Each structure stands twice: as structure tokens, then as C-alpha cells.
Amino acid sequence: MGEGTTAGASRDGADGVYAGPTVLPVLDGGVLTEREATGRVAVDADGAPVPAEYTSGDWEVRVESTDTGGGAGVEDSQIASSGDGFGWAAVHAPLCGTVSAVDREWEVRAGGWEVDCDYAMEVSEPVHGGEGLPEDAAPERVRFLAGYSGSGGVTRLVDDTMACAVFRRDPDGTIESRTWFLSPCHHSAVVGEAEPGDVAFEEVEFEPRTLIDYHAVP
């Protein structure tokens, strides 16, 4: 029923049913927070939890157990932050596949609730793993952002919802040590229109929320 709740738990008028105060962790607008709540859990003859209910002022959660005593697999991403929404990262992000880019192999991970593996690969393969310039191959989906690109990297807007980039690293300040890396794709939106015919210099707002993440394969 949650940490620190045993002392306050009591029978709820029926054998094997207990209720008491608890703390309910919830994602509110992408920020991991806690709510004071009341928990109610029923146990079977072996003492294993069957259904559990948690109720707070604005949340109601019901958990139905189909199995007990085993591990729980996590198949979707879980987003958390330090409390202000900045620097959101996936606690668990499914591995969707790999792409070859900038002379390395990269794992592709779906890092946002609204991004599944099919879409993560659908974006990653042409943007980072395709031949030629992605904005030429798929101009209706990919736009080169000249205002956010230069000698240190290239940024592209994909589907008008996310920005994906490749950036340069010079570990010791020499060309010989130069490497390139795939930056996570972040939620982004155009907030300022460019002059007619000059779409590359649109003003774009970048959110710190990761939608697709990349990890170099060792």
C-alpha cells in the first residue's frame, strides 16, 4: 500500500480487506509528484494482494493483480523530472532498433509517451540513417533549420513537432579527435514565421522533453 502505511492500516469491515493512508506517486503534466491518498487492498487466503484501490482528491487508481511473486516487465516509457519539468528523461525507454550514422551504430529508443517504436524508427531511419539529405528525400516531413545549424551541428524539424540534431565534439580541441553524435529528438514547435520563401529561418521553441533518444553502440 505504499511506504510508511502499515501502521495506519486497519480492517475495512471484511476479512482480508485493509484500508489506510498512503502516498500515491503520479505523473502530473510530465512531472513526477506525490499525493496523499487513501489505500484499500484485499488479500486472498494466501495473503497475496488481489485488487487495490488508491483515492486522492483528484486521482482514483485501481490495480487488478493477475499474478504475484514475479517480476514486472516495463514495456512503455516512464517520464520523470526533478520537479519543475526541466530535463525530463525516460526512466525506461524501449529499445526499438538501430541506425548507422556518422560512422557509428546507434540504438534508437522511444523516450516519450506519444512516441512508439514504429514511429521512432520511421523518423530515425530517414533522418539519420538514410542516403542523401533527409529534407530532400522527405520535404513534406523534414525541414533543415539554418538558424539553428552551423559548423558545430545540424538541426532539422520533423513533422512540425520535434527537432532532431547531429552535433560535433572536439574532446581535446583538435580535428583529429573530432567525433559527431546524435542528439535526442526534443519536442519543438514553430513560434515565429519567417519571411516568405525563407522557411529555414523560422523561430523554433525547443522543449527539454525527449521524444526519441540515441545511444552509441559500444
Side-chain angles (χ1 to χ4, degrees):
M1 290 178 58
E3 185 178 352
T5 64
T6 305
S10 61
R11 289 186 181 273
D12 193 27
D15 289 341
V17 179
Y18 300 86
T22 187
V23 174
L24 179 65
V26 297
L27 280 169
D28 188 1
V31 178
L32 186 63
T33 60
E34 292 184 338
R35 298 281 195 276
E36 292 186 2
T38 298
R40 185 175 182 272
V41 61
V43 297
D44 61 18
D46 297 324
V50 190
E53 299 174 349
Y54 306 92
T55 306
S56 69
D58 51 358
W59 284 85
E60 291 185 3
V61 178
R62 180 177 175 85
V63 179
E64 294 280 357
S65 298
T66 58
D67 192 14
T68 59
V74 180
E75 300 298 335
D76 204 350
S77 53
Q78 299 179 31
I79 310 299
S81 79
S82 58
D84 58 4
F86 184 79
W88 297 353
V91 178
H92 171 87
L95 173 60
C96 302
T98 61
V99 293
S100 297
V102 292
D103 300 322
R104 300 191 69 173
E105 195 80 6
W106 300 82
E107 292 181 346
V108 180
R109 293 184 176 270
W113 287 111
E114 62 267 59
V115 176
D116 60 18
C117 273
D118 288 343
Y119 184 68
M121 294 305 298
E122 180 186 323
V123 168
S124 301
E125 287 172 344
V127 171
H128 292 307
E131 296 291 333
L133 297 176
E135 56 268 26
D136 292 339
E140 71 285 354
R141 298 188 62 185
V142 183
R143 300 215 297 272
F144 171 68
L145 296 176
Y148 302 92
S149 302
S151 61
V154 175
T155 304
R156 294 180 171 91
L157 188 67
V158 182
D159 292 338
D160 292 323
T161 59
M162 72 175 74
C164 303
V166 179
F167 289 125
R168 186 184 75 197
R169 281 197 183 115
D170 296 325
D172 56 12
T174 65
I175 294 179
E176 290 75 18
S177 65
R178 177 170 298 171
T179 61
W180 298 82
F181 70 97
L182 305 188
S183 176
C185 296
H186 290 118
H187 190 277
S188 308
V190 175
V191 295
E193 295 297 330
E195 294 296 324
D198 194 17
V199 295
F201 285 94
E202 290 171 323
E203 182 182 355
V204 179
E205 184 177 81
F206 304 94
E207 293 185 15
R209 182 160 57 93
T210 297
L211 298 181
I212 304 174
D213 205 358
Y214 302 97
H215 299 272
V217 177

